[in-house]
Amino acid sequence: MLEVLGLASIEELFTSIPEELRLGRELELPERASEPEIIRELGAMADRNARMDNRPSFLGAGTYQRFIPAAIDALSSRGEFNTAYTPYQAEVSQGTLQAIMEYQTMLCQLTGMEISNASMYDAGTALAEAVFMAYAVRRKGNKVLVSEAVHPEYRRVLDTYLADHPVEARTIGLENDLTAMDSIARTLEEDGDDVLAVVLQNPNFFGLIEPMENAGKLLGCGLEGAEKPPDRPLLISIVDPISLGVLKDPGAYGADIAIGDGQQLGNSPNLGGPTFGFFTTLQKHVRKVPGRIVGETVDSDGRRGYVLTFQTREQHIRRERATSNICTNQGLCSLRGAMYLAFLGSHGIRKVAEASARLAHYAHGVLTGLEGVEAVSSATFFQEFALKLPVDADAVYRALAERNIGGGLPLARFFPGRNQEMLFAFTELVTKKDIDHLGDELGRVLSEELREAKA
Amino acid sequence: MTPESIPIPAAEATLFELSRPGRRGVEPPEPGSGIPELAECLGENDLRREAPALPELAEASAVRHYTRLSSLNMSIDTNFYPLGSCTMKYNPRINEVAAGNPGFSQAHPLYEAREIQGYLELFSRLEKMLAEIGGLPHISLQPAAGAHGELTALMMIKARCRERGELERDVVLIPDSAHGTNPSSCTIAGFKTRNIDSGEDGAIDIESLREALGPDVAAMMITNPNTLGIFESRIGEISSLLHEAGSLLYMDGANMNAILGITRPGDFGVDVMHYNLHKTMSTPHGGGGPGAGPIAVTDELEPYLPVPRIVHSEGGFELCADRPLSIGKVRTFFGNSGILVRAYAYLRAHGPGELRGVSEHAVLNANYIRRRLEEAYHLPYETPCMHEVVFTARNQKATGIRALDIAKRLIDMGYHPPTIYFPLVVHEALMIEPTETETQETLDRFCDAMLQIAREAEENPELLKAAPVNQPVKRLDEVNAIKTPILTCPCDEPVSD
């Protein structure tokens, strides 16, 4: 090839790089490893991580271990899906495009919303983009009210994004670990024009079911045929997609934007990534939506086909006036999400949600029966709840780990002062036996810790 | 076989058309007996009235559906994919095997640091490797994609302006050949943008830069090599000009595949850059993602990096979030961790010599294509190219042929088209990036196809206008898609599978 180019050496290809800018030495990197060496080295590192799948695990807080149909790994690892680029060349990307179209449709069925984009990075960035979109839609007000029961990681991402944005996030406190709706009502009365959106999570971070219909009514979301005031603040709802197998959907309580994390739909925990964020809203907002959207159209022979559409919203066309800067998204993870919904169907998703809720309620009975343990909130929960323990929750978490149990989340990690509280999660992958075992071991741990504390 | 004689794959029915009421797919685990019924758990008012109307398919039908859909895609595994600016190199399977280890995939993001020592060690080693490759000492692995890395860096630049009481610096300079994400990220981070023209040679016009510089400029974003595949030879002068004016230099690392082990952004004056691990480090594009866009910065910018930071102490690796100048978190948890594992595996498979070899072959392959096609296709710039080459469709204009027609005809010949109509500064651009993982035979066959298309453009332009002819659909009506938006599958008549 060098001969064809009339070059004596590879070096001559790089003459446009000034001599003084060339590295002139080898990079200081480890020497290359063979495949078996790589497997050994990474395997040794992997062995030093705790896992959810080799012991009963009760940690959730937004990331859950769930049953994943075996077919998903086989299909999503096909090179035709995994090694394709973004489907800009529609004719050679109909597989990816149709899969996204079906994904958008299933997400709308699940959330009760009208349109969906192709995916966001995660729920945290989806929340930030939802607030930006609300600002672009309402064009009035610069305060967004965010419930304290929104996942603290999502909130941190939102705060970073708002640092250089005219919108200011104001926290709405808790009552009984539910969002203080009175406080929202008061703020709307005093400062209504200034509030552009309200952000609630359901079930909330503590696993509790929020009175979303009350929120919808409060914000004039047009429930039960009521008028929608033209200038009302938008309702941004963060939802657990599995919960929507049984719980009321955002469409039913009048949400304007419904977002969340799709990890639970066919994706492993992966230390929190890659997963995907989903973003759904109403058709009338389509030109303000961030990220890619697929639409149906026809080809020159009138046959049905799919394309990326409304691309004039996007950075590669609109540049500094784009609705968002997102380009690469989480395509393969959302494809897994679509496959998950297709394999489970209406019946399966309902069963998963039901099993999780029923097991959690059984566990609530078992664990609150332990001496010195009490529920933190009296509100209805879905698959997750916080308990107040008689001793420090961090110590309990470690003691459970020694007994080969993955404990719940010590809440003080996000809520300073709540040192004795632990958030337990239950999915269809735990059994009644696991829960009884947890009850026994937690009982033992607590009595030992109490004894030590006294000594 | 001629393109016209290749059998056309059949279109696939939608999941909703394949659905039959009551049909069951995969059964999730049963919770067993002795636990409360749903009615005892949740209130009537909490429940949705009807189950979500998801499709109902037998497992085998859904498997066939997705298998058939996959066959409607072109991908690196099936076709040469010389999509400029996207670095569509072969994605080694070893990366997938490594990341699939349950010790990585089954780790919960809220585990304590002591429970994820293996992950933190991998992150820490990957940070060191990326720091060495870019010549910039500090890394954040948190950003989920290239555009996300850009935004993170711009937020840090903004935070630095605030810290120094220089918020009047609210402009970022952007060359006209930049990726669209660059100006878009600026807007989100609260900056205005100012355009810098390219010169006759395709490189940044230094005079245009001098004129644009001023006390209101916070930074400049460059891509080097730039999106024309040309190395900015005057980068030393550019960085000096910026630094003398109190501004910072950002580099979009989309084109790092050209310079691995040859030159380093930190050594030519870059203050902050992002990597696209899904380009340079071979992690798969996944039909649109996930990727990863780590950023690398100088000592001066280090305090602004996202939290948590990984620190090493005697007891092992720890996470430090107590960093008063940090911009905070740009993504939940640690970023796209599974992608970081794949990139680490790639870097372990490439020592210093092999990594430099990647760039040498990427540049050699692009120049080979350039030489073989330069008689037939117009080159807008004489400047030698690096890892990608930009042609235009100017020579084919006489018969009414556009870059789009050439791209679509390539599909008929079994190739994914190059990037077209980008960079915006080149009229009718065809941007070809072969990458280092292609053999000479593949490049030759591709060049033969391109030369045949050039002949067809003269002799039988209708062939190009009608292309593609052997895909499940012909050219699609994008205007109609907006005029009558259909953004969810209509649930038409059921069809049989």
Side-chain angles (χ1 to χ4, degrees):
Chain A
M1 287 166 86
L2 282 173
E3 217 171 285
V4 175
L5 296 174
L7 299 178
S9 77
I10 284 258
E11 273 305 305
E12 291 176 41
L13 288 169
F14 295 94
T15 46
S16 58
I17 303 178
E19 193 67 48
E20 69 275 14
L21 297 184
R22 304 222 202 134
L23 184 57
R25 63 165 174 87
E26 282 213 326
L27 287 170
E28 284 176 29
L29 295 173
E31 286 306 315
R32 77 173 288 263
S34 65
E35 287 201 1
E37 287 167 331
I38 291 171
I39 293 295
R40 255 200 310 278
E41 181 181 326
L42 278 108
M45 287 196 265
D47 286 345
R48 295 171 59 215
N49 297 325
R51 284 161 57 171
M52 297 196 79
D53 63 333
N54 58 0
R55 56 186 175 150
S57 288
F58 305 97
L59 184 55
T63 307
Y64 305 87
Q65 192 207 0
R66 290 204 180 274
F67 158 65
I68 299 177
I72 292 182
D73 273 344
L75 292 168
S76 71
S77 63
R78 288 184 70 89
E80 297 91 329
F81 283 131
N82 197 15
T83 73
Y85 193 68
T86 302
Y88 288 125
Q89 289 288 335
E91 299 90 341
V92 292
S93 313
Q94 285 297 298
T96 295
L97 286 163
Q98 183 172 332
I100 297 173
M101 182 77 172
E102 293 170 352
Y103 160 87
Q104 290 175 181
T105 311
M106 291 190 281
L107 261 289
C108 289
Q109 302 285 15
L110 207 52
T111 57
M113 304 302 285
E114 293 168 357
I115 58 170
S116 163
N117 78 2
S119 76
M120 312 296 299
Y121 305 135
D122 65 355
T125 54
L127 172 59
E129 298 270 15
V131 170
F132 287 172
M133 193 184 101
Y135 185 68
V137 165
R138 188 164 185 255
R139 291 202 237 158
K140 200 170 145 190
N142 65 354
K143 285 195 183 62
V144 56
L145 309 184
V146 186
S147 161
E148 200 180 349
V150 163
H151 197 304
E153 285 270 329
Y154 307 169
R155 175 62 192 272
R156 282 177 192 174
V157 174
L158 175 66
D159 287 345
T160 307
Y161 272 68
L162 291 183
D164 301 299
H165 195 274
V167 171
E168 177 201 328
R170 193 180 280 181
T171 305
I172 298 294
L174 305 173
E175 276 166 25
N176 196 22
D177 274 355
L178 290 171
T179 309
M181 292 292 165
D182 299 355
S183 168
I184 295 181
R186 251 196 328 276
T187 312
L188 289 177
E189 240 163 65
E190 287 162 11
D191 224 358
D193 252 15
D194 234 15
V195 176
L196 70 101
V198 173
V199 181
L200 299 174
Q201 181 174 327
N202 190 47
N204 71 20
F205 181 70
F206 307 102
L208 307 175
I209 298 176
E210 293 275 8
M212 297 304 285
E213 281 188 328
N214 293 355
K217 281 179 196 154
L218 202 55
L219 293 175
C221 293
L223 269 61
E224 291 154 13
E227 283 279 299
K228 281 189 179 189
D231 250 1
R232 67 189 181 82
L234 276 71
L235 175 57
I236 299 173
S237 167
I238 305 170
V239 284
D240 170 335
I242 293 291
S243 76
L244 297 178
V246 292
L247 292 187
K248 211 158 259 180
D249 56 271
Y253 48 77
D256 298 277
I257 306 172
I259 58 158
D261 207 287
Q263 177 266 324
Q264 302 186 69
L265 305 176
N267 287 276
S268 300
N270 290 328
L271 198 72
T275 66
F276 68 97
F278 58 85
F279 192 106
T280 61
T281 184
L282 305 173
Q283 174 93 38
K284 64 181 176 187
H285 301 317
V286 64
R287 285 177 191 277
K288 306 277 190 235
V289 170
R292 298 176 188 138
I293 302 175
V294 171
E296 182 183 309
T297 186
V298 288
D299 74 358
S300 48
D301 289 347
R303 278 177 301 196
R304 178 173 74 185
Y306 304 95
V307 291
L308 291 174
T309 192
F310 290 99
Q311 292 194 66
T312 49
R313 298 165 298 117
E314 292 188 71
Q315 46 75 29
H316 61 283
I317 307 222
R318 189 59 65 86
R319 296 174 83 83
E320 66 274 9
R321 293 188 308 280
T323 54
S324 164
N325 73 332
I326 190 169
C327 179
T328 289
N329 56 26
Q330 303 283 121
L332 197 74
C333 301
S334 58
L335 174 68
R336 290 178 66 99
M339 289 175 178
Y340 177 85
L341 293 171
F343 279 110
L344 264 69
S346 296
H347 163 79
I349 187 96
R350 197 184 174 87
K351 265 185 86 169
V352 168
E354 271 194 40
S356 306
R358 292 173 60 201
L359 286 160
H361 282 77
Y362 173 72
H364 192 266
V366 171
L367 300 179
T368 52
L370 296 174
E371 202 184 321
V373 175
E374 53 187 272
V376 175
S377 170
S378 59
T380 309
F381 60 91
F382 170 56
Q383 59 173 9
E384 200 160 14
F385 51 81
L387 294 180
K388 180 148 195 216
L389 309 175
V391 293
D392 182 74
D394 264 325
V396 171
Y397 181 86
R398 286 169 198 194
L400 286 173
E402 278 167 27
R403 290 160 186 264
N404 208 27
I405 292 175
L409 179 75
L411 276 180
R413 279 237 237 136
F414 288 119
F415 297 89
R418 297 178 73 160
N419 297 352
Q420 295 186 1
E421 295 178 28
M422 186 175 269
L423 184 67
F424 288 91
F426 303 85
T427 73
E428 75 286 1
L429 282 186
V430 302
T431 61
K432 180 168 174 284
K433 215 171 122 194
D434 291 335
I435 293 168
D436 291 336
H437 178 61
L438 169 68
D440 293 345
E441 294 294 329
L442 182 60
R444 281 188 201 113
V445 165
L446 293 179
S447 48
E448 272 173 31
E449 293 286 331
L450 280 173
R451 211 168 30 238
E452 266 177 44
K454 274 184 201 142
Chain B
M1 201 155 35
T2 64
E4 288 68 26
S5 67
I6 294 170
I8 300 170
E12 173 66 6
T14 68
L15 282 172
F16 297 89
E17 291 161 345
L18 297 170
S19 170
R20 294 292 180 281
R23 199 155 277 166
R24 301 281 163 86
V26 178
E27 285 288 338
E30 293 286 341
S33 57
I35 62 169
E37 291 302 320
L38 190 69
E40 300 165 54
C41 302
L42 302 172
E44 190 59 34
N45 198 41
D46 301 324
L47 302 178
R48 65 190 293 159
R49 288 193 190 92
E50 286 170 18
L54 297 171
E56 298 174 279
L57 280 81
E59 180 175 354
S61 304
V63 167
R64 286 191 191 130
H65 173 71
Y66 280 108
T67 305
R68 286 191 298 243
L69 280 187
S70 77
S71 75
L72 306 184
N73 276 355
M74 275 194 184
S75 64
I76 302 175
D77 278 6
T78 53
N79 304 79
F80 180 44
Y81 213 119
L83 194 62
S85 216
C86 303
T87 313
M88 299 298 282
K89 62 170 76 178
Y90 169 64
N91 307 145
R93 283 299 191 282
I94 179 76
N95 302 350
E96 303 301 309
V97 174
N101 187 316
F104 293 123
S105 65
Q106 294 294 328
H108 193 287
L110 291 171
Y111 280 153
E112 297 180 318
R114 54 176 192 86
E115 294 175 292
I116 51 168
Q117 288 293 304
Y119 250 126
L120 296 181
E121 180 174 10
L122 184 146
F123 291 164
S124 172
R125 288 189 194 179
L126 181 59
E127 286 185 0
K128 274 203 193 91
M129 290 168 158
L130 294 177
E132 167 68 3
I133 291 165
L136 286 162
H138 309 283
I139 307 281
S140 170
L141 300 173
Q142 210 175 91
H148 202 212
E150 291 172 17
L151 178 60
T152 306
L154 289 160
M155 285 172 168
M156 289 170 61
I157 293 170
K158 194 71 160 183
R160 175 180 174 270
C161 289
R162 197 182 302 114
E163 173 68 17
R164 295 159 60 107
E166 292 183 351
L167 280 174
E168 71 280 4
R169 288 189 185 270
D170 61 353
V171 172
V172 173
L173 308 180
I174 305 216
D176 52 11
S177 59
H179 294 111
T181 49
N182 292 183
S184 173
S185 300
C186 287
T187 304
I188 297 172
F191 287 110
K192 290 178 265 191
T193 58
R194 188 175 295 156
N195 182 64
I196 304 294
D197 295 331
S198 303
E200 302 251 305
D201 56 355
I204 290 163
D205 181 52
I206 301 278
E207 274 323 298
S208 172
L209 172 59
R210 275 186 215 279
E211 278 166 32
L213 265 176
D216 58 351
V217 174
M220 175 169 184
M221 295 180 90
I222 57 149
T223 307
N224 198 19
N226 67 21
T227 61
L228 297 160
I230 293 169
F231 190 84
E232 298 282 356
S233 302
R234 295 173 78 181
I235 188 66
E237 201 178 336
I238 293 170
S239 67
S240 301
L241 277 174
L242 282 158
H243 292 149
E244 279 159 24
S247 313
L248 298 176
L249 181 58
Y250 178 92
M251 191 181 101
D252 179 327
N255 293 341
M256 278 302 284
N257 213 44
I259 58 170
L260 299 168
I262 289 160
T263 180
R264 306 193 305 172
D267 297 342
F268 54 71
V270 168
D271 299 286
V272 46
M273 66 172 289
H274 80 257
Y275 295 89
N276 297 84
L277 298 187
H278 46 293
K279 296 181 181 177
T280 320
M281 304 308 168
S282 83
T283 75
H285 284 74
I295 56 170
V297 305
T298 55
D299 289 331
E300 197 208 336
L301 282 169
E302 190 269 347
Y304 302 97
L305 282 170
V307 283
R309 304 285 301 139
I310 299 166
V311 290
H312 194 223
S313 68
E314 263 174 41
F317 294 94
E318 286 169 32
L319 294 167
C320 173
D322 181 23
R323 313 250 313 163
L325 291 180
S326 165
I327 57 166
K329 300 208 72 169
V330 293
R331 193 203 181 281
T332 51
F333 312 117
F334 302 94
N336 278 338
S337 310
I339 302 302
L340 303 174
V341 176
R342 288 169 174 84
Y344 179 83
Y346 179 78
L347 283 171
R348 288 298 291 111
H350 294 77
E354 291 81 18
L355 209 57
R356 188 186 156 98
V358 163
S359 290
E360 288 175 348
H361 286 97
V363 173
L364 178 63
N365 287 354
N367 277 280
Y368 184 75
I369 290 179
R370 185 179 195 259
R371 170 60 53 89
R372 281 214 53 198
L373 299 182
E374 67 188 353
E375 307 252 307
Y377 292 92
H378 167 245
L379 275 173
Y381 298 100
E382 287 299 312
T383 322
C385 74
M386 299 287 285
H387 67 302
E388 63 192 4
V389 53
V390 178
F391 291 103
T392 84
R394 195 172 84 179
N395 297 353
Q396 288 70 36
K397 200 179 164 190
T399 50
I401 293 300
R402 305 188 57 210
L404 182 74
D405 304 317
I406 296 166
K408 300 302 184 195
R409 185 60 179 160
L410 266 173
I411 293 173
D412 282 342
M413 309 261 187
Y415 298 100
H416 191 283
T419 296
I420 49 174
Y421 301 106
F422 182 82
L424 305 178
V425 286
V426 177
H427 191 58
E428 294 287 324
L430 286 155
M431 182 198 222
I432 301 171
E433 181 182 8
T435 82
E436 74 284 3
T437 55
E438 299 301 330
T439 61
Q440 188 178 353
E441 298 86 88
T442 301
L443 303 182
D444 277 331
R445 279 199 303 271
F446 170 76
C447 289
D448 293 344
M450 284 290 285
L451 295 173
Q452 183 185 328
I453 291 171
R455 281 195 301 276
E456 288 174 352
E458 279 177 30
E459 295 159 8
N460 195 357
E462 284 314 305
L463 274 180
L464 277 67
K465 287 281 171 199
V469 294
N470 56 19
Q471 293 300 315
V473 289
K474 291 193 175 169
R475 291 194 201 183
L476 289 154
D477 188 346
E478 297 191 10
V479 176
N480 172 67
I482 296 171
K483 225 186 269 168
T484 29
I486 305 174
L487 307 177
T488 54
C489 300
C491 297
D492 291 341
E493 291 299 297
V495 300
S496 78
D497 59 359

